[in-house]
Amino acid sequence: EAQVTQNPRYLITVTGKKLTVTCSQNMNHEYMSWYRQDPGLGLRQIYYSMNVEVTDKGDVPEGYKVSRKEKRNFPLILESPSPNQTSLYFCASSFQGAGYTQYFGPGTRLTVL
Amino acid sequence: AQSVAQPEDQVNVAEGNPLTVKCTYSVSGNPYLFWYVQYPNRGLQFLLKYITGDNLVKGSYGFEAEFNKSQTSFHLKKPSALVSDSALYFCAVRDAVVSNAGNMLTFGGGTRLMVKP
């Protein structure tokens, strides 16, 4: 089944404790993105990747890192999480042939205390 | 810079009545436009998109949207609403030219659709 998977789905952590949210897609898509969803603000793009080893900042990259060492994986790293990073995070993948239609993962709800 | 506006936080409609969820956009070049739906505690599901061609786009679950270049709008419509259509709807835009947008997809703030029996 074609899908985007994220882990963990739920995470409660404390300020400053490094964490990684994994994202994997099995559709061989070249593009992958991370978004955060906050009430009233919609989805805002954090980082995106146009292919392996090619990443770029989105609208709200501060406090986040990403890497794209393999085509299928695009982990999101919070080196020192803060409470303002409490949010719902979505990973997505897309490819040019589908007009860049984004295929979303199920989401990761992160709470930073 | 590209942007999307969804002017209504919530739209209320009675079951069986037509519904419209509004979206206006701004891009420097030609737009690729998308509608996504989010059901409670779920991820986003693709509904429909406009890339080029016919201004009226038909999508999943009986939804359609009309691209209006002069009004820079892409309103989502359905002739007869169902209670099960109640969800959060997002409009999104990207520039058709990759060099203008990279893979930037900009979302609106979302509109909650409430369909009452």
Side-chain angles (χ1 to χ4, degrees):
Chain A
E1 178 189 357
Q3 60 182 350
V4 179
T5 57
Q6 295 178 227
N7 282 292
R9 295 289 312 280
Y10 302 91
L11 180 59
I12 300 174
T13 189
V14 295
T15 299
K17 185 175 182 182
K18 181 180 178 179
L19 66 92
T20 299
V21 183
T22 64
C23 173
S24 184
Q25 51 96 2
N26 63 2
M27 296 170 279
N28 202 36
H29 288 171
E30 60 262 32
Y31 296 98
M32 297 186 75
S33 300
W34 275 103
Y35 299 86
R36 59 177 290 173
Q37 182 181 10
D38 302 290
L41 297 177
L43 278 81
R44 293 178 292 168
Q45 196 168 35
I46 302 170
Y47 268 95
Y48 62 92
S49 169
M50 297 175 75
N51 215 322
V52 175
E53 303 292 1
V54 181
T55 63
D56 207 348
K57 297 177 181 179
D59 290 326
V60 288
E62 293 76 20
Y64 304 94
K65 286 175 57 177
V66 292
S67 68
R68 188 94 181 272
K69 292 184 171 58
E70 304 166 282
K71 197 171 187 179
R72 63 184 293 127
N73 296 325
F74 191 45
L76 180 69
I77 302 157
L78 284 71
E79 296 268 3
S80 182
S82 62
N84 65 11
Q85 293 177 299
T86 293
S87 187
L88 180 58
Y89 291 86
F90 289 101
C91 180
S93 70
S94 62
F95 71 107
Q96 185 177 1
Y100 305 102
T101 301
Q102 303 268 315
Y103 295 83
F104 284 87
T108 295
R109 187 167 293 281
L110 172 66
T111 301
V112 183
L113 302 174
Chain B
Q2 54 194 38
S3 64
V4 176
Q6 293 182 241
E8 303 153 315
D9 290 337
Q10 183 162 315
V11 170
N12 298 311
V13 64
E15 188 174 32
N17 283 359
L19 69 88
T20 298
V21 182
K22 296 179 180 177
C23 171
T24 59
Y25 67 90
S26 173
V27 293
S28 56
N30 291 320
Y32 287 174
L33 293 153
F34 305 85
W35 276 100
Y36 289 86
V37 60
Q38 185 179 32
Y39 297 102
N41 300 313
R42 302 285 296 276
L44 276 79
Q45 297 178 29
F46 169 74
L47 272 181
L48 52 80
K49 67 186 176 192
Y50 171 82
I51 302 298
T52 186
D54 194 346
N55 289 344
L56 184 63
V57 178
K58 294 187 183 296
S60 307
Y61 313 121
F63 284 93
E64 59 187 29
E66 186 164 13
F67 171 60
N68 188 317
K69 188 171 184 177
S70 62
Q71 297 185 9
T72 61
S73 66
F74 191 57
H75 302 329
L76 181 70
K77 300 183 180 183
K78 187 173 182 180
S80 179
L82 299 173
V83 172
S84 58
D85 293 330
S86 298
L88 189 56
Y89 290 81
F90 290 98
C91 181
V93 69
R94 61 156 291 145
D95 197 305
V97 177
V98 173
S99 60
N100 289 345
N103 193 36
M104 289 285 293
L105 184 64
T106 300
F107 282 82
T111 298
R112 187 165 299 281
L113 175 65
M114 299 289 289
V115 182
K116 299 186 177 177

